[in-house]
């Protein structure tokens, strides 16, 4: 017994250790000194933390809210993401079950004939050697019904590391699904804003076409009276044809964008046309925009959390590879009834039990384990680089969105001034036309300029809202933590 103590103690110590490095988190990319404020943040944004979920409600558009909710419940891409989550969680259960013993039932029969095998036992007397081939029983029969059990123990915690990797990978899958929600909600909102802008653009082109048709008719009348050459008539007609082409383009944009919204909500093209036929004004973002700071962005964005969890999984897989250096102890047990005849299967007196412990240690593998460890380490280094790149791209995305948002606010203010001047000029030309100072064609040209200024203003409003949506997307908004049972 004293000689057995050192091996037993060694096995116990090995069973309590876990191979591979312990995950200590990623290297910090945004420090406390540099992560307090975005570089491109202007005075029109707030450093308070933004609302994570349902940012689209701030636009105050019920139709947009309905479309986003329909997309979140019916988009096939989100359904596929949820299926991937279910696969990852099932993989965790499978890895956990792999650490437990297995028990199964078996029924076995062996029938054979082996030359030279004497089941009766013993060699024949020398006097009977000449007839040995005829008298030796070389047939074999075996029947068994019972239970078998298997259990494998790892001394270096490879199974624990495998479960750790599965848990981290499942968390990365959940984060990827949350990132899909961020992308989807932003895409639905952007498509909706573009649709409303295209509808307003089509209305403006129709109004301008009506005015240009009058200009063409008046120009042609003056040509017929000899007051104008033919060239102004051709110019007026070319402008009319250009407006018709732009109207056709706007109508095509409406059709394409409506179909895009149908697909995003999980419906066939044309399904949302009836609900979106009536044009509505473009929803405007709130005056006060909360963006938080770079450190909160890193903690919030799902794609960064997915990269971090992938890094944790790759770190755990190093332990899985290193565990192959150490021995494995397996136990196989068989309990059953059986014997050399079929009647022995039902004879409870022929109960048999067998226990087979097996210790396996591959100490000579010509570098296979070392190569697997090196491969796992390189994969971890790749995950580190991917995480750092994801953080840097996220910060770049947010800074770019902030710069665009500030620029679109300036552009909108300029468009509002241009629209105000165009309205004043249109009112003045109406008065001049009423007084007979200008012709109807001149008035229509001034009204066309007013319509164009209105279209430019709506386009500037749409660009501002699109910049705000891009900012929400860059901040990683559009998902929420699942409600957990208390």
């Amino acid at each position: 017994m004293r000689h057995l103590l050192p091996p037993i103690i060694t096995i116990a110590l090995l069973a309590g250790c876990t191979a591979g490095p312990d995950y200590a988190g990623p290297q910090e990319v945004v420090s406390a000194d540099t992560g307090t404020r975005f570089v491109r943040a202007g005075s029109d944004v707030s450093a308070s933390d933004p609302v994570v979920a349902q940012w689209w409600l701030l636009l105050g558009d019920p139709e947009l809210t309905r479309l986003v909710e329909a997309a979140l419940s019916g988009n096939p891409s989100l359904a596929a993401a949820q299926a991937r989550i279910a696969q990852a969680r099932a993989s965790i259960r499978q890895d956990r079950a792999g650490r437990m013993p297995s028990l199964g039932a078996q029924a076995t029969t062996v029938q054979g004939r082996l030359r030279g095998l004497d089941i009766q036992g013993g060699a024949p007397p020398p006097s009977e050697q000449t007839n040995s081939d005829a008298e030796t029983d070389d047939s074999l029969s075996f029947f068994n019904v019972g239970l078998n059990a298997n259990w494998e123990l790892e001394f270096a915690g490879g199974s624990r590391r495998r479960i750790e990797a599965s848990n981290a990978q499942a968390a990365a899958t959940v984060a990827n699904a949350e990132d899909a929600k961020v992308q989807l909600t932003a895409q639905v909102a952007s498509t909706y804003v573009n649709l409303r802008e295209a509808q307003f653009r089509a209305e403006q082109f129709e109004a301008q076409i009506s005015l240009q048709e009058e200009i063409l008719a008046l120009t042609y009348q003056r040509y017929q009276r000899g007051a104008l050459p033919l060239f102004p008539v051709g110019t007026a007609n070319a402008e009319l044809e250009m407006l018709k082409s732009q109207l056709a383009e706007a109508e095509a944009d409406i059709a394409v964008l409506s179909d895009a919204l149908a697909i995003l909500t999980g419906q066939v093209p044309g399904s949302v046309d009836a609900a979106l036929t009536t044009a509505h004004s473009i929803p405007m973002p709130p005056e006060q925009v909360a963006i938080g700071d770079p450190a909160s962005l890193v903690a919030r964005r799902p794609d960064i959390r997915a990269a971090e969890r992938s890094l944790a999984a790759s770190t755990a897989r190093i332990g899985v590879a290193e565990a192959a250096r150490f021995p494995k102890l397996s136990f196989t047990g068989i309990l059953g009834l059986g014997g050399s005849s079929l009647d022995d299967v039902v004879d409870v007196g022929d109960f048999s039990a067998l226990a087979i412990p097996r210790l396996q240690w591959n100490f000579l593998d010509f570098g296979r384990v070392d190569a697997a460890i090196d491969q796992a380490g390189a994969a971890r280094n790749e995950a580190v680089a991917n995480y750092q790149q994801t953080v840097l791209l996220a910060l770049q995305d947010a800074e770019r969105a902030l710069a665009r948002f500030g620029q679109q606010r300036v552009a909108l203010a300029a468009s509002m001034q241009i629209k105000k001047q165009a309205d004043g000029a249109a009112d003045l030309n109406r008065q001049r036309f009423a007084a007979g100072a200008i012709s109807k064609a001149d008035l229509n040209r001034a009204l066309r300029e007013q319509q164009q200024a209105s279209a430019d203003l709506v386009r500037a409003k749409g660009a501002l809202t699109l910049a705000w949506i891009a900012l929400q997307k860059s901040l990683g908004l559009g998902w929420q933590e699942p409600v957990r049972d208390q």
Side-chain angles (χ1 to χ4, degrees):
M1 182 65 184
R2 196 179 310 165
H3 297 289
L4 294 176
L5 286 178
I8 294 176
I9 294 175
T10 302
I11 291 176
L13 290 175
L14 286 173
C17 72
T18 303
D22 292 328
Y23 181 66
Q27 183 178 0
E28 191 175 22
V29 179
V30 179
S31 65
D33 297 333
T34 60
T36 57
R37 183 173 175 81
F38 288 103
V39 178
R40 311 301 174 192
S43 58
D44 51 357
V45 296
S46 171
S48 58
D49 288 334
V51 179
V52 173
Q54 298 182 326
W55 53 264
W56 50 90
L57 297 179
L58 300 176
L59 294 174
D61 192 312
E63 189 63 32
L64 172 60
T65 300
R66 184 189 67 81
L67 288 171
V68 172
E69 291 175 350
L72 289 175
S73 61
N75 184 269
S77 297
L78 289 188
Q82 294 299 321
R84 286 192 290 270
I85 292 175
Q87 295 177 49
R89 289 174 175 169
S91 178
I92 294 175
R93 295 196 302 271
Q94 186 178 26
D95 289 337
R96 287 176 177 171
R99 300 184 65 188
M100 299 293 105
S102 62
L103 179 65
Q106 68 172 6
T108 305
T109 177
V110 178
Q111 301 292 329
R113 190 175 186 87
L114 303 178
R115 186 174 183 83
L117 176 66
D118 185 4
I119 301 298
Q120 304 299 328
S127 60
E128 301 177 5
Q129 291 272 336
T130 56
N131 298 326
S132 59
D133 291 340
E135 297 177 1
T136 300
D137 187 2
D138 55 3
S139 62
L140 173 64
S141 297
F142 178 74
F143 303 91
N144 182 269
V145 175
L147 301 176
N148 60 5
N150 294 280
W151 192 11
E152 183 177 284
L153 298 177
E154 290 184 322
F155 297 133
S159 298
R160 290 192 293 272
R161 290 300 192 195
R162 189 174 294 107
I163 295 172
E164 181 182 340
S166 297
N167 280 321
Q169 197 59 54
T173 306
V174 172
N176 284 327
E178 293 165 350
D179 186 59
K181 293 180 181 179
V182 173
Q183 306 297 323
L184 177 64
T185 53
Q187 190 173 2
V188 171
S190 298
T191 306
Y192 178 81
V193 171
N194 285 323
L195 172 66
R196 293 310 188 192
E197 189 273 332
Q199 288 177 332
F200 184 85
R201 187 162 24 105
E203 291 181 351
Q204 293 299 309
F205 285 138
E206 289 176 350
Q208 291 188 51
I209 286 173
S210 178
L211 293 172
Q212 187 62 28
E213 286 175 342
E214 290 186 10
I215 293 174
L216 176 60
L218 293 172
T219 304
Y220 185 71
Q221 291 175 7
R222 296 183 67 188
Y223 162 73
Q224 287 182 323
R225 293 195 301 265
L228 288 175
L230 185 60
F231 178 74
V233 177
T235 302
N237 185 68
E239 291 182 4
L240 177 60
E241 294 302 321
M242 178 61 69
L243 288 173
K244 290 181 179 179
S245 174
Q246 291 173 333
L247 174 60
E249 181 182 0
E251 290 175 343
D253 289 342
I254 293 172
V256 171
L257 292 169
S258 297
D259 290 345
L261 285 173
I263 298 300
L264 289 172
T265 55
Q267 304 177 69
V268 297
S271 301
V272 300
D273 289 1
L276 299 175
T277 299
T278 304
H280 288 286
S281 59
I282 293 177
M284 297 300 294
E287 294 184 3
Q288 190 68 27
V289 180
I291 61 172
D293 54 40
S296 63
L297 172 115
V298 171
R300 183 192 314 114
R301 276 190 53 144
D303 57 339
I304 295 178
R305 291 189 295 108
E308 184 273 331
R309 288 290 81 199
S310 295
L311 172 57
S314 63
T315 303
R317 293 190 185 102
I318 296 177
V320 175
E322 289 187 356
R325 292 184 184 275
F326 298 91
K328 296 179 181 180
L329 180 62
S330 61
F331 295 93
T332 300
I334 299 176
L335 299 176
L337 301 173
S340 59
S341 67
L342 192 59
D343 295 337
D344 296 333
V345 174
V346 295
D347 187 358
V348 295
D350 289 339
F351 180 78
S352 60
L354 180 65
I356 307 174
R358 180 188 179 201
L359 181 65
Q360 180 181 1
W361 195 344
N362 297 327
F363 55 87
L364 180 62
D365 62 357
F366 300 97
R368 293 185 183 90
V369 173
D370 290 338
I373 294 173
D374 292 342
Q375 183 181 25
R380 193 267 306 272
N381 294 338
E382 179 186 5
V384 170
N386 288 338
Y387 172 80
Q388 294 174 345
Q389 181 72 359
T390 302
V391 173
L392 293 176
L393 291 177
L395 294 173
Q396 180 193 25
D397 190 17
E399 297 287 1
R400 179 174 57 241
L402 285 168
R404 293 297 184 191
F405 182 65
Q407 179 262 328
Q408 292 300 336
R409 281 196 163 181
V410 175
L412 177 59
S415 296
M416 293 176 67
Q417 289 296 323
I418 295 173
K419 175 62 166 57
K420 184 178 180 180
Q421 294 173 4
D423 290 342
D427 292 339
L428 178 60
N429 281 283
R430 287 190 185 95
Q431 296 173 13
R432 296 178 64 192
F433 174 74
I438 61 173
S439 65
K440 177 64 174 175
D442 292 332
L443 174 61
N444 283 1
R445 290 188 183 93
L447 294 178
R448 273 201 60 196
E449 292 178 358
Q450 184 186 28
Q451 294 288 343
Q452 186 61 46
S454 298
D456 292 340
L457 178 59
V458 171
R459 188 177 293 107
K461 288 181 178 180
L464 177 64
T465 304
L466 290 174
W468 182 79
I469 293 171
L471 179 59
Q472 307 307 300
K473 176 184 173 183
S474 69
L475 296 176
L477 306 180
W479 63 275
Q480 59 184 348
E481 291 285 354
V483 179
R484 292 181 173 84
D485 297 333
Q486 299 295 330

